[in-house]
PDB file of all heavy atoms in Angstrom:
ATOM      1  N   CYS A 576      -5.860  -0.871  -4.622  1.00 89.00           N
ATOM      2  CA  CYS A 576      -7.114  -0.105  -4.751  1.00 89.00           C
ATOM      3  C   CYS A 576      -8.033  -0.735  -5.795  1.00 89.00           C
ATOM      4  O   CYS A 576      -9.245  -0.829  -5.586  1.00 89.00           O
ATOM      5  CB  CYS A 576      -6.815   1.347  -5.126  1.00 89.00           C
ATOM      6  SG  CYS A 576      -6.076   2.301  -3.810  1.00 89.00           S
ATOM      7  N   ALA A 577      -7.450  -1.182  -6.912  1.00 92.00           N
ATOM      8  CA  ALA A 577      -8.253  -1.819  -7.956  1.00 92.00           C
ATOM      9  C   ALA A 577      -8.864  -3.128  -7.459  1.00 92.00           C
ATOM     10  O   ALA A 577     -10.028  -3.430  -7.755  1.00 92.00           O
ATOM     11  CB  ALA A 577      -7.395  -2.065  -9.196  1.00 92.00           C
ATOM     12  N   LEU A 578      -8.098  -3.893  -6.702  1.00 92.00           N
ATOM     13  CA  LEU A 578      -8.626  -5.147  -6.140  1.00 92.00           C
ATOM     14  C   LEU A 578      -9.779  -4.875  -5.181  1.00 92.00           C
ATOM     15  O   LEU A 578     -10.808  -5.556  -5.223  1.00 92.00           O
ATOM     16  CB  LEU A 578      -7.514  -5.917  -5.413  1.00 92.00           C
ATOM     17  CG  LEU A 578      -6.470  -6.597  -6.294  1.00 92.00           C
ATOM     18  CD1 LEU A 578      -5.332  -7.148  -5.438  1.00 92.00           C
ATOM     19  CD2 LEU A 578      -7.109  -7.710  -7.115  1.00 92.00           C
ATOM     20  N   VAL A 579      -9.616  -3.884  -4.328  1.00 91.00           N
ATOM     21  CA  VAL A 579     -10.670  -3.566  -3.360  1.00 91.00           C
ATOM     22  C   VAL A 579     -11.918  -3.048  -4.066  1.00 91.00           C
ATOM     23  O   VAL A 579     -13.042  -3.371  -3.680  1.00 91.00           O
ATOM     24  CB  VAL A 579     -10.156  -2.545  -2.313  1.00 91.00           C
ATOM     25  CG1 VAL A 579     -11.285  -2.013  -1.458  1.00 91.00           C
ATOM     26  CG2 VAL A 579      -9.094  -3.169  -1.443  1.00 91.00           C
ATOM     27  N   ARG A 580     -11.741  -2.265  -5.116  1.00 90.00           N
ATOM     28  CA  ARG A 580     -12.889  -1.748  -5.855  1.00 90.00           C
ATOM     29  C   ARG A 580     -13.609  -2.858  -6.612  1.00 90.00           C
ATOM     30  O   ARG A 580     -14.835  -2.880  -6.665  1.00 90.00           O
ATOM     31  CB  ARG A 580     -12.447  -0.671  -6.843  1.00 90.00           C
ATOM     32  CG  ARG A 580     -12.519   0.704  -6.264  1.00 90.00           C
ATOM     33  CD  ARG A 580     -12.273   1.782  -7.304  1.00 90.00           C
ATOM     34  NE  ARG A 580     -11.169   2.585  -6.802  1.00 90.00           N
ATOM     35  CZ  ARG A 580      -9.960   2.633  -7.329  1.00 90.00           C
ATOM     36  NH1 ARG A 580      -9.685   1.966  -8.421  1.00 90.00           N
ATOM     37  NH2 ARG A 580      -9.022   3.368  -6.788  1.00 90.00           N
ATOM     38  N   ARG A 581     -12.843  -3.757  -7.209  1.00 90.00           N
ATOM     39  CA  ARG A 581     -13.426  -4.779  -8.090  1.00 90.00           C
ATOM     40  C   ARG A 581     -13.990  -5.987  -7.328  1.00 90.00           C
ATOM     41  O   ARG A 581     -15.073  -6.458  -7.633  1.00 90.00           O
ATOM     42  CB  ARG A 581     -12.360  -5.219  -9.084  1.00 90.00           C
ATOM     43  CG  ARG A 581     -12.756  -6.229 -10.068  1.00 90.00           C
ATOM     44  CD  ARG A 581     -13.493  -5.632 -11.207  1.00 90.00           C
ATOM     45  NE  ARG A 581     -13.782  -6.701 -12.167  1.00 90.00           N
ATOM     46  CZ  ARG A 581     -14.157  -6.498 -13.364  1.00 90.00           C
ATOM     47  NH1 ARG A 581     -14.282  -5.270 -13.786  1.00 90.00           N
ATOM     48  NH2 ARG A 581     -14.399  -7.487 -14.172  1.00 90.00           N
ATOM     49  N   TRP A 582     -13.208  -6.509  -6.374  1.00 88.00           N
ATOM     50  CA  TRP A 582     -13.603  -7.721  -5.652  1.00 88.00           C
ATOM     51  C   TRP A 582     -13.444  -7.547  -4.146  1.00 88.00           C
ATOM     52  O   TRP A 582     -12.631  -8.228  -3.511  1.00 88.00           O
ATOM     53  CB  TRP A 582     -12.748  -8.912  -6.103  1.00 88.00           C
ATOM     54  CG  TRP A 582     -12.881  -9.245  -7.540  1.00 88.00           C
ATOM     55  CD1 TRP A 582     -13.963  -9.760  -8.176  1.00 88.00           C
ATOM     56  CD2 TRP A 582     -11.874  -9.071  -8.546  1.00 88.00           C
ATOM     57  NE1 TRP A 582     -13.707  -9.924  -9.511  1.00 88.00           N
ATOM     58  CE2 TRP A 582     -12.421  -9.515  -9.768  1.00 88.00           C
ATOM     59  CE3 TRP A 582     -10.570  -8.593  -8.543  1.00 88.00           C
ATOM     60  CZ2 TRP A 582     -11.712  -9.488 -10.956  1.00 88.00           C
ATOM     61  CZ3 TRP A 582      -9.862  -8.580  -9.722  1.00 88.00           C
ATOM     62  CH2 TRP A 582     -10.436  -9.019 -10.903  1.00 88.00           C
ATOM     63  N   PRO A 583     -14.212  -6.677  -3.518  1.00 85.00           N
ATOM     64  CA  PRO A 583     -14.009  -6.424  -2.088  1.00 85.00           C
ATOM     65  C   PRO A 583     -14.323  -7.622  -1.194  1.00 85.00           C
ATOM     66  O   PRO A 583     -13.721  -7.792  -0.142  1.00 85.00           O
ATOM     67  CB  PRO A 583     -14.956  -5.266  -1.785  1.00 85.00           C
ATOM     68  CG  PRO A 583     -15.975  -5.308  -2.853  1.00 85.00           C
ATOM     69  CD  PRO A 583     -15.296  -5.871  -4.066  1.00 85.00           C
ATOM     70  N   GLY A 584     -15.231  -8.479  -1.599  1.00 88.00           N
ATOM     71  CA  GLY A 584     -15.633  -9.603  -0.765  1.00 88.00           C
ATOM     72  C   GLY A 584     -14.909 -10.898  -1.055  1.00 88.00           C
ATOM     73  O   GLY A 584     -15.126 -11.901  -0.371  1.00 88.00           O
ATOM     74  N   HIS A 585     -14.050 -10.920  -2.060  1.00 91.00           N
ATOM     75  CA  HIS A 585     -13.311 -12.149  -2.391  1.00 91.00           C
ATOM     76  C   HIS A 585     -12.393 -12.510  -1.223  1.00 91.00           C
ATOM     77  O   HIS A 585     -11.718 -11.629  -0.674  1.00 91.00           O
ATOM     78  CB  HIS A 585     -12.501 -11.933  -3.673  1.00 91.00           C
ATOM     79  CG  HIS A 585     -11.947 -13.196  -4.234  1.00 91.00           C
ATOM     80  ND1 HIS A 585     -10.776 -13.741  -3.774  1.00 91.00           N
ATOM     81  CD2 HIS A 585     -12.425 -14.018  -5.202  1.00 91.00           C
ATOM     82  CE1 HIS A 585     -10.533 -14.857  -4.439  1.00 91.00           C
ATOM     83  NE2 HIS A 585     -11.525 -15.046  -5.312  1.00 91.00           N
ATOM     84  N   PRO A 586     -12.358 -13.789  -0.849  1.00 91.00           N
ATOM     85  CA  PRO A 586     -11.552 -14.173   0.323  1.00 91.00           C
ATOM     86  C   PRO A 586     -10.071 -13.804   0.216  1.00 91.00           C
ATOM     87  O   PRO A 586      -9.463 -13.378   1.207  1.00 91.00           O
ATOM     88  CB  PRO A 586     -11.725 -15.684   0.394  1.00 91.00           C
ATOM     89  CG  PRO A 586     -12.981 -15.975  -0.345  1.00 91.00           C
ATOM     90  CD  PRO A 586     -13.125 -14.906  -1.378  1.00 91.00           C
ATOM     91  N   ALA A 587      -9.482 -13.939  -0.960  1.00 91.00           N
ATOM     92  CA  ALA A 587      -8.064 -13.611  -1.121  1.00 91.00           C
ATOM     93  C   ALA A 587      -7.832 -12.106  -0.974  1.00 91.00           C
ATOM     94  O   ALA A 587      -6.855 -11.671  -0.350  1.00 91.00           O
ATOM     95  CB  ALA A 587      -7.554 -14.093  -2.477  1.00 91.00           C
ATOM     96  N   VAL A 588      -8.719 -11.304  -1.529  1.00 91.00           N
ATOM     97  CA  VAL A 588      -8.599  -9.847  -1.424  1.00 91.00           C
ATOM     98  C   VAL A 588      -8.834  -9.408   0.022  1.00 91.00           C
ATOM     99  O   VAL A 588      -8.102  -8.565   0.551  1.00 91.00           O
ATOM    100  CB  VAL A 588      -9.578  -9.136  -2.393  1.00 91.00           C
ATOM    101  CG1 VAL A 588      -9.553  -7.636  -2.186  1.00 91.00           C
ATOM    102  CG2 VAL A 588      -9.243  -9.485  -3.832  1.00 91.00           C
ATOM    103  N   ALA A 589      -9.823 -10.004   0.660  1.00 91.00           N
ATOM    104  CA  ALA A 589     -10.099  -9.668   2.056  1.00 91.00           C
ATOM    105  C   ALA A 589      -8.905 -10.015   2.945  1.00 91.00           C
ATOM    106  O   ALA A 589      -8.543  -9.241   3.839  1.00 91.00           O
ATOM    107  CB  ALA A 589     -11.356 -10.390   2.536  1.00 91.00           C
ATOM    108  N   ALA A 590      -8.279 -11.153   2.695  1.00 92.00           N
ATOM    109  CA  ALA A 590      -7.101 -11.552   3.483  1.00 92.00           C
ATOM    110  C   ALA A 590      -5.937 -10.587   3.244  1.00 92.00           C
ATOM    111  O   ALA A 590      -5.208 -10.231   4.184  1.00 92.00           O
ATOM    112  CB  ALA A 590      -6.696 -12.977   3.139  1.00 92.00           C
ATOM    113  N   LEU A 591      -5.763 -10.169   2.002  1.00 90.00           N
ATOM    114  CA  LEU A 591      -4.686  -9.224   1.670  1.00 90.00           C
ATOM    115  C   LEU A 591      -4.915  -7.867   2.354  1.00 90.00           C
ATOM    116  O   LEU A 591      -3.993  -7.296   2.939  1.00 90.00           O
ATOM    117  CB  LEU A 591      -4.598  -9.052   0.152  1.00 90.00           C
ATOM    118  CG  LEU A 591      -3.484  -8.182  -0.388  1.00 90.00           C
ATOM    119  CD1 LEU A 591      -2.123  -8.766  -0.009  1.00 90.00           C
ATOM    120  CD2 LEU A 591      -3.599  -8.065  -1.899  1.00 90.00           C
ATOM    121  N   VAL A 592      -6.130  -7.385   2.298  1.00 90.00           N
ATOM    122  CA  VAL A 592      -6.458  -6.106   2.943  1.00 90.00           C
ATOM    123  C   VAL A 592      -6.271  -6.219   4.453  1.00 90.00           C
ATOM    124  O   VAL A 592      -5.698  -5.319   5.081  1.00 90.00           O
ATOM    125  CB  VAL A 592      -7.903  -5.674   2.589  1.00 90.00           C
ATOM    126  CG1 VAL A 592      -8.342  -4.487   3.438  1.00 90.00           C
ATOM    127  CG2 VAL A 592      -8.008  -5.344   1.116  1.00 90.00           C
ATOM    128  N   ASP A 593      -6.730  -7.333   5.031  1.00 90.00           N
ATOM    129  CA  ASP A 593      -6.560  -7.531   6.471  1.00 90.00           C
ATOM    130  C   ASP A 593      -5.087  -7.552   6.856  1.00 90.00           C
ATOM    131  O   ASP A 593      -4.703  -7.003   7.890  1.00 90.00           O
ATOM    132  CB  ASP A 593      -7.233  -8.827   6.921  1.00 90.00           C
ATOM    133  CG  ASP A 593      -8.750  -8.736   6.877  1.00 90.00           C
ATOM    134  OD1 ASP A 593      -9.278  -7.605   6.887  1.00 90.00           O
ATOM    135  OD2 ASP A 593      -9.399  -9.802   6.839  1.00 90.00           O
ATOM    136  N   GLU A 594      -4.258  -8.167   6.027  1.00 89.00           N
ATOM    137  CA  GLU A 594      -2.819  -8.227   6.310  1.00 89.00           C
ATOM    138  C   GLU A 594      -2.179  -6.842   6.249  1.00 89.00           C
ATOM    139  O   GLU A 594      -1.356  -6.488   7.093  1.00 89.00           O
ATOM    140  CB  GLU A 594      -2.126  -9.162   5.329  1.00 89.00           C
ATOM    141  CG  GLU A 594      -0.659  -9.358   5.622  1.00 89.00           C
ATOM    142  CD  GLU A 594      -0.011 -10.363   4.687  1.00 89.00           C
ATOM    143  OE1 GLU A 594      -0.713 -11.242   4.173  1.00 89.00           O
ATOM    144  OE2 GLU A 594       1.210 -10.237   4.471  1.00 89.00           O
ATOM    145  N   VAL A 595      -2.560  -6.044   5.262  1.00 88.00           N
ATOM    146  CA  VAL A 595      -2.010  -4.691   5.143  1.00 88.00           C
ATOM    147  C   VAL A 595      -2.437  -3.839   6.341  1.00 88.00           C
ATOM    148  O   VAL A 595      -1.627  -3.116   6.917  1.00 88.00           O
ATOM    149  CB  VAL A 595      -2.464  -4.021   3.822  1.00 88.00           C
ATOM    150  CG1 VAL A 595      -2.121  -2.552   3.808  1.00 88.00           C
ATOM    151  CG2 VAL A 595      -1.833  -4.721   2.625  1.00 88.00           C
ATOM    152  N   LEU A 596      -3.694  -3.953   6.736  1.00 89.00           N
ATOM    153  CA  LEU A 596      -4.204  -3.138   7.845  1.00 89.00           C
ATOM    154  C   LEU A 596      -3.750  -3.646   9.204  1.00 89.00           C
ATOM    155  O   LEU A 596      -3.738  -2.887  10.171  1.00 89.00           O
ATOM    156  CB  LEU A 596      -5.737  -3.070   7.790  1.00 89.00           C
ATOM    157  CG  LEU A 596      -6.322  -2.359   6.581  1.00 89.00           C
ATOM    158  CD1 LEU A 596      -7.832  -2.415   6.614  1.00 89.00           C
ATOM    159  CD2 LEU A 596      -5.837  -0.929   6.502  1.00 89.00           C
ATOM    160  N   ALA A 597      -3.380  -4.914   9.293  1.00 87.00           N
ATOM    161  CA  ALA A 597      -2.939  -5.480  10.573  1.00 87.00           C
ATOM    162  C   ALA A 597      -1.606  -4.888  11.009  1.00 87.00           C
ATOM    163  O   ALA A 597      -1.337  -4.779  12.203  1.00 87.00           O
ATOM    164  CB  ALA A 597      -2.839  -6.993  10.481  1.00 87.00           C
ATOM    165  N   GLY A 598      -0.769  -4.489  10.063  1.00 79.00           N
ATOM    166  CA  GLY A 598       0.535  -3.918  10.406  1.00 79.00           C
ATOM    167  C   GLY A 598       0.386  -2.644  11.208  1.00 79.00           C
ATOM    168  O   GLY A 598       0.607  -2.616  12.406  1.00 79.00           O
ATOM    169  N   ASP A 599      -0.015  -1.583  10.572  1.00 85.00           N
ATOM    170  CA  ASP A 599      -0.234  -0.297  11.240  1.00 85.00           C
ATOM    171  C   ASP A 599      -1.153   0.531  10.353  1.00 85.00           C
ATOM    172  O   ASP A 599      -0.707   1.212   9.433  1.00 85.00           O
ATOM    173  CB  ASP A 599       1.094   0.416  11.479  1.00 85.00           C
ATOM    174  CG  ASP A 599       0.943   1.656  12.335  1.00 85.00           C
ATOM    175  OD1 ASP A 599      -0.157   1.868  12.876  1.00 85.00           O
ATOM    176  OD2 ASP A 599       1.931   2.399  12.467  1.00 85.00           O
ATOM    177  N   ALA A 600      -2.433   0.449  10.642  1.00 87.00           N
ATOM    178  CA  ALA A 600      -3.423   1.138   9.808  1.00 87.00           C
ATOM    179  C   ALA A 600      -3.255   2.646   9.862  1.00 87.00           C
ATOM    180  O   ALA A 600      -3.508   3.336   8.870  1.00 87.00           O
ATOM    181  CB  ALA A 600      -4.830   0.735  10.219  1.00 87.00           C
ATOM    182  N   SER A 601      -2.814   3.182  10.997  1.00 88.00           N
ATOM    183  CA  SER A 601      -2.641   4.630  11.081  1.00 88.00           C
ATOM    184  C   SER A 601      -1.482   5.088  10.193  1.00 88.00           C
ATOM    185  O   SER A 601      -1.539   6.166   9.603  1.00 88.00           O
ATOM    186  CB  SER A 601      -2.420   5.077  12.523  1.00 88.00           C
ATOM    187  OG  SER A 601      -1.263   4.484  13.060  1.00 88.00           O
ATOM    188  N   ALA A 602      -0.442   4.272  10.061  1.00 89.00           N
ATOM    189  CA  ALA A 602       0.671   4.607   9.165  1.00 89.00           C
ATOM    190  C   ALA A 602       0.212   4.574   7.713  1.00 89.00           C
ATOM    191  O   ALA A 602       0.663   5.386   6.898  1.00 89.00           O
ATOM    192  CB  ALA A 602       1.839   3.656   9.377  1.00 89.00           C
ATOM    193  N   VAL A 603      -0.674   3.654   7.393  1.00 89.00           N
ATOM    194  CA  VAL A 603      -1.222   3.583   6.031  1.00 89.00           C
ATOM    195  C   VAL A 603      -2.002   4.858   5.726  1.00 89.00           C
ATOM    196  O   VAL A 603      -1.883   5.427   4.642  1.00 89.00           O
ATOM    197  CB  VAL A 603      -2.108   2.325   5.860  1.00 89.00           C
ATOM    198  CG1 VAL A 603      -2.849   2.357   4.535  1.00 89.00           C
ATOM    199  CG2 VAL A 603      -1.269   1.061   5.960  1.00 89.00           C
ATOM    200  N   CYS A 604      -2.779   5.331   6.692  1.00 90.00           N
ATOM    201  CA  CYS A 604      -3.591   6.538   6.495  1.00 90.00           C
ATOM    202  C   CYS A 604      -2.738   7.788   6.296  1.00 90.00           C
ATOM    203  O   CYS A 604      -3.159   8.728   5.639  1.00 90.00           O
ATOM    204  CB  CYS A 604      -4.520   6.751   7.682  1.00 90.00           C
ATOM    205  SG  CYS A 604      -5.785   5.485   7.850  1.00 90.00           S
ATOM    206  N   CYS A 605      -1.538   7.800   6.882  1.00 91.00           N
ATOM    207  CA  CYS A 605      -0.670   8.972   6.802  1.00 91.00           C
ATOM    208  C   CYS A 605       0.332   8.901   5.659  1.00 91.00           C
ATOM    209  O   CYS A 605       1.082   9.855   5.440  1.00 91.00           O
ATOM    210  CB  CYS A 605       0.102   9.143   8.114  1.00 91.00           C
ATOM    211  SG  CYS A 605      -0.946   9.569   9.499  1.00 91.00           S
ATOM    212  N   HIS A 606       0.364   7.806   4.938  1.00 90.00           N
ATOM    213  CA  HIS A 606       1.373   7.628   3.895  1.00 90.00           C
ATOM    214  C   HIS A 606       0.941   8.281   2.584  1.00 90.00           C
ATOM    215  O   HIS A 606      -0.244   8.344   2.266  1.00 90.00           O
ATOM    216  CB  HIS A 606       1.639   6.138   3.669  1.00 90.00           C
ATOM    217  CG  HIS A 606       2.843   5.886   2.858  1.00 90.00           C
ATOM    218  ND1 HIS A 606       2.817   5.821   1.488  1.00 90.00           N
ATOM    219  CD2 HIS A 606       4.132   5.703   3.215  1.00 90.00           C
ATOM    220  CE1 HIS A 606       4.031   5.600   1.034  1.00 90.00           C
ATOM    221  NE2 HIS A 606       4.855   5.521   2.061  1.00 90.00           N
ATOM    222  N   LYS A 607       1.916   8.712   1.826  1.00 90.00           N
ATOM    223  CA  LYS A 607       1.690   9.413   0.564  1.00 90.00           C
ATOM    224  C   LYS A 607       0.844   8.594  -0.413  1.00 90.00           C
ATOM    225  O   LYS A 607       0.014   9.147  -1.142  1.00 90.00           O
ATOM    226  CB  LYS A 607       3.046   9.747  -0.056  1.00 90.00           C
ATOM    227  CG  LYS A 607       2.987  10.501  -1.342  1.00 90.00           C
ATOM    228  CD  LYS A 607       4.395  10.825  -1.815  1.00 90.00           C
ATOM    229  CE  LYS A 607       4.407  11.606  -3.088  1.00 90.00           C
ATOM    230  NZ  LYS A 607       5.774  11.916  -3.534  1.00 90.00           N
ATOM    231  N   PHE A 608       1.050   7.287  -0.447  1.00 90.00           N
ATOM    232  CA  PHE A 608       0.270   6.424  -1.338  1.00 90.00           C
ATOM    233  C   PHE A 608      -0.754   5.594  -0.571  1.00 90.00           C
ATOM    234  O   PHE A 608      -1.796   5.229  -1.106  1.00 90.00           O
ATOM    235  CB  PHE A 608       1.192   5.495  -2.126  1.00 90.00           C
ATOM    236  CG  PHE A 608       2.236   6.216  -2.915  1.00 90.00           C
ATOM    237  CD1 PHE A 608       3.582   6.028  -2.640  1.00 90.00           C
ATOM    238  CD2 PHE A 608       1.882   7.090  -3.922  1.00 90.00           C
ATOM    239  CE1 PHE A 608       4.554   6.712  -3.357  1.00 90.00           C
ATOM    240  CE2 PHE A 608       2.844   7.770  -4.643  1.00 90.00           C
ATOM    241  CZ  PHE A 608       4.180   7.583  -4.361  1.00 90.00           C
ATOM    242  N   GLY A 609      -0.453   5.302   0.668  1.00 89.00           N
ATOM    243  CA  GLY A 609      -1.323   4.449   1.468  1.00 89.00           C
ATOM    244  C   GLY A 609      -2.688   5.050   1.737  1.00 89.00           C
ATOM    245  O   GLY A 609      -3.669   4.328   1.873  1.00 89.00           O
ATOM    246  N   TYR A 610      -2.766   6.375   1.824  1.00 92.00           N
ATOM    247  CA  TYR A 610      -4.055   6.997   2.136  1.00 92.00           C
ATOM    248  C   TYR A 610      -5.102   6.699   1.070  1.00 92.00           C
ATOM    249  O   TYR A 610      -6.284   6.541   1.380  1.00 92.00           O
ATOM    250  CB  TYR A 610      -3.910   8.505   2.356  1.00 92.00           C
ATOM    251  CG  TYR A 610      -3.932   9.325   1.098  1.00 92.00           C
ATOM    252  CD1 TYR A 610      -5.110   9.926   0.662  1.00 92.00           C
ATOM    253  CD2 TYR A 610      -2.790   9.497   0.338  1.00 92.00           C
ATOM    254  CE1 TYR A 610      -5.135  10.680  -0.492  1.00 92.00           C
ATOM    255  CE2 TYR A 610      -2.808  10.254  -0.813  1.00 92.00           C
ATOM    256  CZ  TYR A 610      -3.973  10.841  -1.229  1.00 92.00           C
ATOM    257  OH  TYR A 610      -3.994  11.580  -2.381  1.00 92.00           O
TER     258      TYR A 610
END
Side-chain angles (χ1 to χ4, degrees):
C576 289
L578 287 172
V579 170
R580 268 188 236 111
R581 181 81 177 195
W582 299 291
H585 192 277
V588 174
L591 184 61
V592 170
D593 289 339
E594 184 176 334
V595 169
L596 295 177
D599 188 9
S601 61
V603 171
C604 294
C605 293
H606 193 272
K607 181 177 181 180
F608 304 117
Y610 84 96

